[in-house]
């Protein structure tokens, strides 16, 4: 998967932002994997929570916001104005697929 400076190889579990290779925790990578697999489409908070943390956590939206923030700091050029990871308020997140 490629979008802007971001390259993600799901098979090899490699992430690059330009020439950098940010270190993602296993959960951050799993979150990114779900977004990559649905690139260009909105993924609901419940879908992400179920896929990454399991069915017992589908109501933990605050938890998800923390991880999205961490992921943005690692993959976005400007985490305060993300260009790759978009928030659909009250619904979920979308990874742009340029």
């Amino acid at each position: 998967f490629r979008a802007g400076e971001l390259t993600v190889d799901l098979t090899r579990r490699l992430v690059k932002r330009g020439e950098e290779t940010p270190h993602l925790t296993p959960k951050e990578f799993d979150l990114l994997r779900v977004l990559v697999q649905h690139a260009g489409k909105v993924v609901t908070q419940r879908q992400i929570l179920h896929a990454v943390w399991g069915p017992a956590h589908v109501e933990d939206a605050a938890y998800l916001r923390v991880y999205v923030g961490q992921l943005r700091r690692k993959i976005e050029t400007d985490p305060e104005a993300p260009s790759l990871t978009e928030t659909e308020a009250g619904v979920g997140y979308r990874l742009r697929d340029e």
Side-chain angles (χ1 to χ4, degrees), residues 51-71:
V52 177
W53 285 275
H57 296 277
V58 294
E59 301 297 329
D60 296 339
Y63 200 62
L64 178 57
R65 280 191 294 276
V66 169
Y67 273 85
V68 169
Q70 290 174 190
L71 183 61

Side-chain angles (χ1 to χ4, degrees), residues 36-78:
V36 165
Q37 290 172 331
H38 298 89
K41 300 175 187 156
V42 174
V43 186
T44 68
Q45 293 174 1
R46 290 177 64 90
Q47 287 173 309
I48 296 169
L49 288 162
H50 187 274
V52 177
W53 285 275
H57 296 277
V58 294
E59 301 297 329
D60 296 339
Y63 200 62
L64 178 57
R65 280 191 294 276
V66 169
Y67 273 85
V68 169
Q70 290 174 190
L71 183 61
R72 282 178 171 159
R73 283 191 290 282
K74 294 179 180 183
I75 68 167
E76 293 280 1
T77 303
D78 181 0

Side-chain angles (χ1 to χ4, degrees), residues 3-65:
E5 290 190 333
L6 180 67
T7 303
V8 181
D9 182 335
L10 295 177
T11 304
R12 295 174 34 202
R13 295 185 66 92
L14 293 174
V15 178
K16 288 189 128 324
R17 188 183 79 195
E19 295 300 314
E20 297 177 30
T21 305
H23 171 73
L24 271 56
T25 67
K27 289 293 184 198
E28 290 167 348
F29 185 85
D30 289 343
L31 169 59
L32 182 57
R33 176 185 45 80
V34 170
L35 293 173
V36 165
Q37 290 172 331
H38 298 89
K41 300 175 187 156
V42 174
V43 186
T44 68
Q45 293 174 1
R46 290 177 64 90
Q47 287 173 309
I48 296 169
L49 288 162
H50 187 274
V52 177
W53 285 275
H57 296 277
V58 294
E59 301 297 329
D60 296 339
Y63 200 62
L64 178 57
R65 280 191 294 276

